[in-house]
Amino acid sequence: MAEVRRFDRWVLTAQVVARNGGTMLRYVSFFSYTGEAWERMIKRPGNRANAAQELIEEIGGQMEAFYWMLGGWDGLVIYQVPDVASAAALAGRVTSSGLLKGISTHQLVSSDEGHEALLKAKAAEGAYLPPGTQREWRSDYEARG
């Protein structure tokens, strides 16, 4: 089970158990609208969080949060989907509208999963040869023999 961290009243995990008992992966997508999209939204204001939630649910996921932002991105959405193909389908569907000038999707990794990755990286340290370096021929010979 994924690690659970409590921050005030929020509970954050990288993987959650879906209602059907399967594991869902957690993602965050940052997005920016085109000028045309802003013009359309200003002329006909609507709740974009509802639109995002409908799409995420249609793909088999659940939306956790939708935020507008100031800065390099116009907003972000945090959601859970059953697999990477579902996350890619979501990004492809919204990008195909032509009304986003950018989207960046990232899978979230819990602290426990990050720690496990570090342990695996440490265990594999002898298998990695950095670019531009060579093994001593004797070390290869001694390892075999």
Side-chain angles (χ1 to χ4, degrees):
M1 187 75 169
E3 174 185 6
V4 176
R5 297 255 183 197
R6 296 195 183 278
F7 297 97
D8 295 325
R9 58 190 176 92
W10 294 98
V11 178
L12 304 174
T13 62
Q15 294 185 359
V16 295
V17 177
R19 289 186 195 124
N20 64 5
T23 300
M24 302 263 274
L25 302 174
R26 181 167 280 133
Y27 289 85
V28 60
S29 291
F30 298 90
F31 57 88
S32 290
Y33 293 114
T34 64
E36 180 184 349
W38 278 110
E39 185 178 337
R40 288 182 182 194
M41 290 186 294
I42 291 168
K43 283 183 180 177
R44 297 186 66 197
N47 188 332
R48 297 312 303 158
N50 288 343
Q53 183 173 354
E54 288 178 25
L55 176 58
I56 292 165
E57 288 176 357
E58 180 66 27
I59 290 174
Q62 299 171 332
M63 187 174 83
E64 289 184 27
F66 182 101
Y67 289 99
W68 294 95
M69 297 170 51
L70 302 175
W73 297 99
D74 294 329
L76 68 84
V77 61
I78 301 171
Y79 54 95
Q80 305 159 23
V81 289
D83 49 45
V84 69
S86 299
L90 182 101
R93 180 72 257 161
V94 297
T95 301
S96 71
S97 71
L99 296 174
L100 289 181
K101 65 180 175 184
I103 186 168
S104 181
T105 299
H106 307 269
Q107 184 177 349
L108 299 176
V109 178
S110 74
S111 178
D112 280 349
E113 292 164 329
H115 182 251
E116 184 178 340
L118 292 173
L119 292 173
K120 286 182 179 186
K122 181 179 180 183
E125 69 185 326
Y128 177 66
L129 188 61
T133 60
Q134 294 182 347
R135 279 184 213 237
E136 174 82 26
W137 70 269
R138 290 180 188 155
S139 66
D140 284 344
Y141 179 75
E142 291 167 356
R144 291 184 202 152

